[in-house]
């Protein structure tokens, strides 16, 4: 005789294992000897410029097929970041240890001038007026002086100081995590597409980050805000109305937080009990040229002690307004930080573990792309057979791309308890998805 039972429905999530016929990943790795701390795209010349900090040089790569190194340009000690002039004639390179700004002529491929700075620089950005904004680690008491400088190439290279309250000065670069120089930098600047604004982030200590908006026309910092759990990796939308700093999406006008990247927004499971790792906030993002999507890759390795090796191998396609994750592409290796995209949206170039990755995102549809009719199923079982009709189910798996693949499904029982996740229950860096899974207890069924 059947005894009374309680039914404990659970969620069945499909871990789709893609096995394409021709390739398992999207993108090609170019290895760089040294350490890449910045990447700049020059479409007019079909070049990439890489700042190689350890080698004290700027590396020039031709984007012709195949991509190859065509020149190296020696710089002053410890170059960190670079930015191109609006007329695309010059590249400005911040050399931290030398307290200098190196001016590179992009036709001659040589340093043609050096500007001596009153403080060691970290970030550099150029507005539409051609003037160069530079963040530094500051000087004087509390490093409160010379934290933000302007180099004016139209005024005999004059150096002016921008009075700012806060943003606090950035601290000097730290030891590169896992040898990745880009992650050692504590300040970044990125100009909007029209050059009217420059977005900045400074890390004044190990626990705080300061984001700020600089207006080029008035040469003033319009607003700033102290925010935790962000990184120095920046991406600005094409219209300049919002920007990403690490995992967080900001409104440029108000610095209000619009959204945060969260695995609760993913249509597929990553790993039970994990979310994006804010303790090792690594990765970056880039907006598509039309502003219709955001492509990002962030660390999904679980937070633990000792720290797990970062996992930044999935390039996610997100809604640019709420960071909803639509799908993801598997990368050939971990992406480290900054990404740049061609004007036609066809290719992304991203700093990676061993150099940089060229991602033909415009041709992604030529690879297999998995689409599930359902990503969550409700199954139940009891010894009396009352729920026999929902003991199993079938999900249609289709390929919206091209090529061949095989797929398998795996039952994933998620624990409804445990640490919370960024944007969900419990806050940043935790585990459960968007506040947890509700376990339904139906009435007792007599046998």
């Amino acid at each position: 005789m059947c005894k009374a039972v309680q039914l404990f429905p659970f969620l069945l999530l499909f871990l789709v294992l893609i096995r394409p016929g021709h390739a398992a990943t999207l993108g090609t790795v170019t290895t760089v000897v040294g350490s890449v701390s910045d990447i700049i795209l020059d479409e007019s010349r079909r070049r990439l410029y890489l700042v190689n900090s350890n080698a004290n040089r700027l590396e020039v790569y031709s984007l012709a097929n195949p991509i190859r190194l065509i020149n190296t340009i020696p710089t002053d000690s410890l170059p960190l970041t670079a930015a191109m002039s609006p007329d695309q004639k010059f590249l400005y390179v911040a050399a931290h240890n030398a307290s200098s700004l190196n001016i590179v002529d992009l036709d001659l491929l040589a340093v043609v001038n050096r500007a001596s700075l009153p403080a060691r620089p970290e970030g550099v950005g150029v507005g539409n007026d051609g003037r160069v904004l530079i963040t530094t680690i500051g000087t004087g008491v509390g490093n409160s002086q010379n934290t933000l400088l302007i180099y004016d190439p139209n005024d005999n290279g004059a150096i002016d100081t921008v009075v700012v309250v806060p943003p606090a000065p950035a601290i000097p670069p730290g030891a590169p995590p896992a040898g990745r120089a880009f992650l050692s930098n504590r300040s970044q600047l990125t100009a909007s597409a029209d050059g009217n604004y420059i977005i900045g982030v400074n890390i004044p200590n190990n626990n705080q980050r300061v984001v700020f908006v600089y207006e080029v026309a008035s040469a003033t910092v319009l607003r700033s805000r102290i925010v935790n759990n962000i990184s120095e990796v920046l991406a600005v939308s094409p219209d300049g109305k919002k920007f990403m700093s690490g995992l967080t999406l900001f409104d440029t006008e108000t610095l209000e937080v619009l959204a945060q990247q969260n695995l609760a927004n993913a249509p597929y499971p990553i790993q039970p009990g994990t979310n994006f790792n804010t303790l090792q906030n690594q990765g970056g993002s880039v907006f598509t040229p039309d502003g219709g999507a955001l492509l990002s890759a962030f660390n999904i390795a679980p937070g633990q002690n000792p720290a797990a090796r970062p996992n930044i191998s999935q390039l996610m396609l997100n809604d640019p307004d709420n960071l909803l994750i639509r799908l993801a592409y598997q990368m050939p290796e971990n992406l480290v930080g900054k990404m740049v995209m061609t004007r036609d949206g066809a290719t992304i170039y991203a700093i990676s573990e061993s150099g940089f990755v060229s991602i033909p995102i415009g041709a992604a549809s030529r690879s297999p792309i998995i689409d599930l009719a359902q990503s969550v199923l409700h199954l139940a079982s009891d010894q009396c057979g009352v729920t026999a009709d929902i003991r199993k189910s079938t999900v249609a798996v289709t390929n919206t791309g091209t090529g061949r693949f095989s797929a398998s499904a795996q039952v994933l029982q998620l624990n409804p308890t445990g640490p919370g996740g960024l944007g969900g229950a419990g806050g940043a860096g935790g585990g459960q998805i968007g506040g947890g899974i509700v376990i339904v207890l139906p009435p007792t069924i007599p046998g």
Side-chain angles (χ1 to χ4, degrees), residues 286-312:
V286 65
F287 288 87
T288 56
D290 62 0
L294 175 80
L295 289 139
S296 66
F298 294 106
N299 186 13
I300 57 175
Q304 63 185 50
N305 189 12
R309 185 178 185 275
N311 181 350
I312 321 166

Side-chain angles (χ1 to χ4, degrees), residues 178-420:
R180 303 169 194 172
F182 183 85
L183 302 175
S184 67
N185 205 17
R186 306 305 178 93
S187 180
Q188 289 287 339
L189 295 172
T190 300
S192 58
D194 57 13
N196 289 331
Y197 301 95
I198 297 176
I199 310 300
V201 59
N202 278 356
I203 300 179
N205 55 58
N206 290 325
N207 299 315
Q208 290 185 334
R209 281 92 170 107
V210 178
V211 291
F212 60 94
V213 178
Y214 170 86
E215 185 180 53
V216 172
S218 63
T220 59
V221 174
L222 298 180
R223 60 195 70 90
S224 63
R225 179 181 178 182
I226 297 175
V227 186
N228 294 328
N229 300 317
I230 63 173
S231 81
E232 73 279 9
V233 186
L234 293 170
V236 183
S237 65
D239 60 9
K241 293 183 178 180
K242 50 184 178 283
F243 67 91
M244 287 284 290
S245 178
L247 298 163
T248 306
L249 181 67
F250 288 89
D251 178 82
T252 304
E253 181 66 28
T254 63
L255 291 184
E256 176 185 4
V257 172
L258 300 176
Q260 290 178 314
Q261 193 74 273
N262 192 323
L263 288 183
N265 293 328
Y268 55 90
I270 296 292
Q271 181 176 339
T274 65
N275 206 326
F276 292 106
N277 190 328
T278 58
L279 298 178
Q280 291 179 282
N281 196 347
Q282 300 178 17
S285 59
V286 65
F287 288 87
T288 56
D290 62 0
L294 175 80
L295 289 139
S296 66
F298 294 106
N299 186 13
I300 57 175
Q304 63 185 50
N305 189 12
R309 185 178 185 275
N311 181 350
I312 321 166
S313 60
Q314 296 191 19
L315 182 68
M316 298 169 291
L317 180 67
N318 307 265
D319 186 295
D321 296 318
N322 54 30
L323 301 186
L324 177 70
I325 302 171
R326 299 171 182 167
L327 56 86
Y329 305 97
Q330 187 66 30
M331 296 292 99
E333 73 173 17
N334 283 334
L335 306 185
V336 174
K338 185 177 177 180
M339 306 178 192
V340 292
M341 179 180 266
T342 55
R343 286 189 295 267
D344 59 5
T347 308
I348 295 172
Y349 301 98
I351 301 175
S352 64
E353 278 188 316
S354 62
F356 66 95
V357 177
S358 307
I359 307 168
I361 195 68
S365 61
R366 299 175 188 171
S367 299
I369 300 176
I370 300 300
D371 185 39
L372 303 179
Q374 294 172 266
S375 59
V376 178
L377 298 177
H378 178 204
L379 305 182
S381 179
D382 71 283
Q383 65 187 29
C384 297
V386 176
T387 60
D389 58 334
I390 55 172
R391 290 185 63 183
K392 63 181 180 179
S393 186
T394 302
V395 173
V397 182
T398 58
N399 181 6
T400 60
T402 59
R404 300 184 60 184
F405 73 92
S406 60
S408 61
Q410 176 180 336
V411 175
L412 183 63
Q413 180 84 45
L414 297 183
N415 187 352
T417 62

Side-chain angles (χ1 to χ4, degrees), residues 7 13 26 36 66 82 112 134 183 209 230 291-292 306 426 435 438:
L7 306 183
L13 290 87
L26 181 68
V36 180
V112 294
I134 307 163
L183 302 175
R209 281 92 170 107
I230 63 173
V438 177

Side-chain angles (χ1 to χ4, degrees), residues 433-444:
I433 297 183
I437 298 173
V438 177
I439 301 298
V440 181
L441 299 177
T444 300

Side-chain angles (χ1 to χ4, degrees), residues 65-142:
N65 192 15
I67 294 175
R68 65 189 189 281
L69 178 67
I70 60 173
N71 210 329
T72 60
I73 305 170
T75 66
D76 290 343
S77 179
L78 197 63
L80 292 178
T81 55
M84 195 182 302
S85 63
D87 58 11
Q88 300 183 340
K89 291 183 178 180
F90 300 100
L91 195 69
Y92 299 99
V93 183
H96 182 270
N97 286 356
S99 296
S100 68
L101 184 71
N102 290 194
I103 296 92
V104 177
D105 187 306
L106 294 178
D107 290 325
L108 300 176
L109 290 180
V111 175
V112 294
N113 197 4
R114 289 174 170 84
S116 180
L117 304 175
R120 294 188 175 188
E122 289 205 34
V124 59
V126 186
N128 55 15
D129 61 355
R131 293 187 296 175
V132 184
L133 184 68
I134 307 163
T135 57
T136 79
I137 64 172
T139 58
V141 179

